[in-house]
């Protein structure tokens, strides 16, 4: 019987034999985008991720693909314009995943910013996005606002502005970006931390890697090395050894998951925190609303990040000021995530004002570091990095294909048309219901057909409350590099977040299915369960 350990061992043998054009450290959105672009340009590339793809910041963002209204306040017009252009490109290459939403800015006396200022901002936002714009912003009267957001505070409310922006599943976007590169010959490995650089005459020529699935250490060599380690960038520079000053300054951002019941899922309310004037978004996601985010300086260990009670109180306090009828309390929170923004280090800056711009540098030993930026701008950052690497290597194509090549082989249809076609092909006994089909299309794009083929006639849901099918476990384990129970529960299916209360029986059954697929021993399975429940506890409890 084939086991994951045997498959990984054979993969490591292959990596050791190869000589790469480009070795990438870090499988967040930045590393994934560089890997995809490089693979499209014909560079022989490998990407190494210490945990799972998108297990860092790229799986804990606010999930917005946006220009960033608040950057207008900081007069960063070029950054906003660039992001709005990227938003248009992502809508084209990932139409199944990137969703346009109506964002609602209520004006409430004493709570929100002045309407004149915000309308000026929205006017500029429309102007900057005009070549690739969505609908222009509109104004809602007090009465319409009361209908659209019935639980919103009435006193002092005198209307709202509605503008369009986009959201995305950040973890799935990262994975799809990696898989798109894999289709073009990229080699990708998760659970493979880079432990050291190999140097010859002061130049980095390779890396030492540990395969956490087999426990085997190995080395691999490349002509160019690039670190896209997000909040871990300063750690990697220490390993590299030629840079003294930190490259990134890290800021912590927390999101809370609360049940959606009382909110109107048609809108994304944007609230102004009375405490520090930050924008707090309430983003509908599956059965929940995602409330966030905070922005505080963090200098602890990125691997030991916890949500604190003060952060929960801050977010709930803001939401309760605008939506007093909801009476949200810490007990209403089903779970929380904390992510770290890898901001370009600027001595003496306040976190919220820190640049969302990115940097690409090459160190004395020849290693490239790419850091900063946003989820929205990942493709552009990658393009700049790969242009520079191709020039350095004097090889690889100069033409960048990523603005046109769709992710997940999604056909050039809109989601409804695709759904209709898929529904016709799969009508009959054993076919999934429309909600499951929509879930498959939004999650896998054109690859939904592969999941359905794998499901054959067994399109049974894992749990009646969720749209995830049993076949998705096999698909994740065999086609999407899910090596651990947590990879599947958290980043492939999101079931870990979707369960209102932990369902031990369901998790046990999923672990059993993964044991069969990956050849886990009973001890492996117990360890996986322990790790998963430890993630679950961290997600549902707060420190301090
Ligand atoms: P990461 O995603 O952290 O990836 C770095 C990876 O490197 C990690 O997976 C890590 O495990 C790996 N790694 C580290 N060291 C090693 C090693 N030695 N060997 C191998 N692998 C290693 N941007 C937007 O555009 N829209 C938003 O709505 C938005 N919201 C945000 C909300 C929050 C709370 C935060 C924190 C950020 C948000 N951002 C948003 C910013 C965006 O999420 C980040 O800019 C982006 O995800 C950073 O990606 P990255 O790949 O650089 O870092």
């Amino acid at each position: 019987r084939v086991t994951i350990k045997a498959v990984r061992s054979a993969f490591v043998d292959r990596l050791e034999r190869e000589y790469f054009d480009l070795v990438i450290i870090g499988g967040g959105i930045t590393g994934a985008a560089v890997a995809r672009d490089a693979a499209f340009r014909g560079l022989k590339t490998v990407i190494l991720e210490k945990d799972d793809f998108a297990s860092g910041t790229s799986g804990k963002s606010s999930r917005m693909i946006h220009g960033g209204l608040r950057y207008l306040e900081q007069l960063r017009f070029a950054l906003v314009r660039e992001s709005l252009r990227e938003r248009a490109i992502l809508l084209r290459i990932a139409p199944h995943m990137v969703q346009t939403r109506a964002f609602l800015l209520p004006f409430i006396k004493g709570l929100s910013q002045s309407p004149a200022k915000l309308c000026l901002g929205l006017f500029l936002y429309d102007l900057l996005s005009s070549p690739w714009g969505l609908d222009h912003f509109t104004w809602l009267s007090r009465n319409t606002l009361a209908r659209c957001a019935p639980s919103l505070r009435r006193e002092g409310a005198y209307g709202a502005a509605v503008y369009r922006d986009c959201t995305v599943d950040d973890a799935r976007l990262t994975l799809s970006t990696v898989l798109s590169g894999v289709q073009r010959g990229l080699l990708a490995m998760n659970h493979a931390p880079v432990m050291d650089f190999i140097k010859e005459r002061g130049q980095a020529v390779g890396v030492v890697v540990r395969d956490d699935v087999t426990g085997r250490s190995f080395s691999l060599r490349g002509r160019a090395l690039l670190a896209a380690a997000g909040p871990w960038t300063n750690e990697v520079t220490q390993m590299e050894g030629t840079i003294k000053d930190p490259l990134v300054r890290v800021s912590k951002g927390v999101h809370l998951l609360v049940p959606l019941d009382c909110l109107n899922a048609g809108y994304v309310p944007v609230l102004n925190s009375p405490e520090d004037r930050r924008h707090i978004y309430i983003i509908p996601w599956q059965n929940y609303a995602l409330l966030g985010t905070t922005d505080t300086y963090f200098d602890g260990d990125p691997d030991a990040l916890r949500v604190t009670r003060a952060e929960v109180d801050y977010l709930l306090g803001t939401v309760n000021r605008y939506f007093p009828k909801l009476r949200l309390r810490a007990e209403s929170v089903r779970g929380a995530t904390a992510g770290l923004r890898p901001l370009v280090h600027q001595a003496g800056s306040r976190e919220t004002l820190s640049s969302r711009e990115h940097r690409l540098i090459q160190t004395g030993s020849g290693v490239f570091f790419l850091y900063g930026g946003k989820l929205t701008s990942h493709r552009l950052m990658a393009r700049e990095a790969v242009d520079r690497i191709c020039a350095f290597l004097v090889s690889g194509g100069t033409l960048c294909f990523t603005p046109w090549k769709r992710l997940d082989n999604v056909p050039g249809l809109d989601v409804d048309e695709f759904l209709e076609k898929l529904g016709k092909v799969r009508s009959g006994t054993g076919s999934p219901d429309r909600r499951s089909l929509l879930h498959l299309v939004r999650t896998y794009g054109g690859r939904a057909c592969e999941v359905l083929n794998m499901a054959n006639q067994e399109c049974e849901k894992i749990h009646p409350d969720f749209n995830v099918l049993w076949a998705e476990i096999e698909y994740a384990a065999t086609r999407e590099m899910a090596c651990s129970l947590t990879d599947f529960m958290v980043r492939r299916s999101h079931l870990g977040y979707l369960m209102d209360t932990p369902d031990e029986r369901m998790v046990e059954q999923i672990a059993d299915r993964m044991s069969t697929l990956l050849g886990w021993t009973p001890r492996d399975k117990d360890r996986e369960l322990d790790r998963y429940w430890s993630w679950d506890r961290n997600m549902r409890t707060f420190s301090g």
Side-chain angles (χ1 to χ4, degrees):
R1 200 169 55 131
V2 181
T3 65
I4 183 154
K5 287 188 180 156
V7 172
R8 293 274 291 209
S9 219
F11 191 60
V12 169
D13 290 344
R14 178 174 170 199
L15 290 182
E16 275 187 317
R17 280 196 306 270
E18 304 266 9
Y19 184 62
F20 292 94
D21 291 322
L22 177 60
V23 177
I24 298 169
I25 305 164
I29 193 67
T30 309
V34 174
R36 174 175 189 248
D37 192 331
F40 269 105
R41 297 205 216 182
L43 295 182
K44 190 167 192 178
T45 307
V46 59
I47 181 168
L48 302 157
E49 164 53 46
K50 78 179 173 112
D51 187 329
D52 187 21
F53 302 112
S55 58
T57 311
S58 304
K60 290 155 195 155
S61 77
S62 303
R63 300 157 188 225
M64 288 189 290
I65 298 296
H66 65 156
L69 248 191
R70 75 195 164 89
Y71 305 130
L72 286 179
E73 271 180 61
Q74 300 161 14
L75 307 180
R76 294 178 184 274
F77 299 119
L79 177 76
V80 175
R81 194 180 148 81
E82 174 187 288
S83 301
L84 289 168
R85 191 177 54 220
E86 286 306 302
R87 183 182 76 180
I89 292 176
L90 284 165
L91 272 166
R92 183 170 67 225
I93 65 170
H96 57 304
M97 222 185 268
V98 181
Q99 280 180 275
T100 305
R101 306 237 193 199
F103 284 67
L104 182 118
L105 273 163
F107 297 121
I108 298 179
K109 209 168 166 196
L111 280 181
S112 44
Q113 280 174 322
S114 100
K117 190 174 163 196
L118 277 169
C119 287
L120 177 66
L122 288 169
F123 174 74
L124 280 174
Y125 204 60
D126 281 347
L127 202 67
L128 289 171
S129 69
S130 52
W132 327 277
L134 304 170
D135 290 343
H136 291 306
F137 86 90
T138 49
W139 173 263
L140 296 187
S141 69
R142 187 177 196 270
N143 290 341
T144 321
L145 175 63
R147 273 202 307 281
C148 295
S151 36
L152 187 75
R153 182 191 195 103
R154 293 283 173 87
E155 309 87 75
Y158 46 97
V162 174
Y163 70 99
R164 311 264 153 190
D165 240 327
C166 299
T167 57
V168 74
D169 181 334
D170 52 3
R172 296 281 334 177
L173 177 72
T174 306
L175 181 70
S176 296
T177 305
V178 173
L179 293 174
S180 166
V182 169
Q183 279 189 332
R184 289 283 166 153
L186 167 73
L187 297 181
M189 192 170 187
N190 51 1
H191 301 280
V194 168
M195 308 303 291
D196 207 352
F197 286 95
I198 303 169
K199 289 192 183 166
E200 281 172 9
R201 288 187 295 278
Q203 290 301 293
V205 293
V207 286
V208 179
V209 189
R210 189 182 69 213
D211 174 10
D212 278 344
V213 175
T214 57
R216 184 174 153 190
S217 286
F218 62 101
S219 55
L220 49 88
R221 291 176 167 255
R223 293 165 66 208
L225 310 177
L226 177 136
W232 290 267
T233 298
N234 296 339
E235 277 182 19
V236 180
T237 57
Q238 277 171 16
M239 211 171 8
E240 187 269 345
T242 67
I243 299 182
K244 288 201 185 70
D245 293 331
L247 295 180
V248 295
R249 174 190 169 99
V250 171
S251 139
K252 182 180 178 191
V254 165
H255 285 98
L256 309 181
L257 281 171
V258 300
L260 193 58
D261 318 340
C262 11
L263 289 163
N264 181 345
Y267 291 96
V268 177
V270 186
L271 317 178
N272 224 300
S273 160
E275 268 178 54
D276 56 8
R277 315 310 299 169
R278 278 191 57 75
H279 281 169
I280 306 293
Y281 295 87
I282 307 184
I283 301 180
W285 181 64
Q286 311 255 6
N287 308 330
Y288 292 103
L290 202 61
L291 317 183
T293 174
T294 58
D295 190 350
T296 48
Y297 175 60
F298 180 83
D299 64 355
D301 174 4
D303 289 305
L305 199 57
R306 293 291 311 274
V307 174
T308 65
R309 182 63 199 241
E311 288 160 339
V312 174
D313 291 344
Y314 163 84
L315 289 171
L316 293 184
T318 302
V319 177
N320 283 333
R321 294 281 287 272
Y322 282 79
F323 293 92
K325 288 184 204 153
L326 299 186
R327 289 201 191 88
L328 292 177
R329 291 174 299 135
E331 295 70 40
S332 326
V333 178
R334 296 288 182 272
T337 62
L340 294 174
R341 294 175 190 85
L343 305 173
V344 173
H345 182 72
Q346 290 171 320
S349 71
R350 272 180 49 213
E351 302 83 60
T352 33
L353 290 181
S354 289
S355 166
R356 262 36 168 190
E357 277 139 28
H358 63 271
R359 292 280 185 281
L360 171 69
I361 60 153
Q362 193 175 14
T363 65
S365 72
V367 180
F368 290 94
F369 280 82
L370 181 60
Y371 53 98
K374 293 161 65 188
L375 186 75
T376 309
S377 51
H378 67 273
R379 199 204 56 83
L380 202 65
M381 291 164 70
R383 178 187 186 145
E384 186 186 322
V386 180
D387 280 347
R388 179 112 166 248
I389 289 164
C390 287
F392 170 74
L393 294 175
V394 202
S395 65
T398 46
L399 193 62
C400 171
F401 293 96
T402 54
W404 302 287
K405 297 287 179 191
R406 289 166 186 272
L407 292 178
D408 293 329
N409 308 327
V410 65
L413 304 168
D414 76 23
V415 167
D416 288 330
E417 273 180 280
F418 184 37
L419 207 60
E420 200 179 315
K421 279 202 158 181
L422 204 63
K424 276 190 190 139
V425 177
R426 294 294 307 190
S427 58
T429 47
S431 57
D433 58 27
R434 196 181 154 80
R435 287 186 59 201
S436 292
L437 273 184
L438 182 62
H439 150 77
L440 291 178
V441 168
R442 288 232 175 271
T443 312
Y444 303 98
R447 294 186 294 120
C449 305
E450 295 175 21
V451 182
L452 286 169
N453 287 342
M454 205 167 253
N456 203 4
Q457 291 303 309
E458 193 215 9
C459 285
E460 199 192 328
K461 290 182 185 181
I462 292 180
H463 189 285
D465 291 350
F466 314 116
N467 295 314
V468 185
L469 307 180
W470 279 108
E472 289 178 68
I473 303 178
E474 183 177 349
Y475 193 77
T478 57
R479 307 283 173 85
E480 293 192 325
M481 295 177 271
C483 303
S484 74
L485 181 60
T486 314
D487 292 352
F488 178 76
M489 294 295 294
V490 181
R491 288 166 294 271
R492 302 299 180 282
S493 70
H494 303 312
L495 279 172
Y497 292 116
L498 299 180
M499 278 185 291
D500 220 5
T501 47
D503 182 337
E504 288 189 25
R505 198 167 149 260
M506 181 179 91
V507 176
E508 184 80 29
Q509 284 174 338
I510 293 172
D512 282 339
R513 182 70 71 109
M514 288 194 83
S515 290
T516 315
L517 288 163
L518 299 176
W520 289 342
T521 61
R523 228 167 111 193
D524 293 334
K525 184 185 137 191
D526 287 345
R527 196 194 50 228
E528 289 297 328
L529 281 166
D530 284 349
R531 283 186 186 157
Y532 173 71
W533 288 122
S534 144
W535 173 88
D536 183 89
R537 266 191 309 280
N538 271 348
M539 197 264 300
R540 290 177 202 272
T541 52
F542 320 118
S543 66

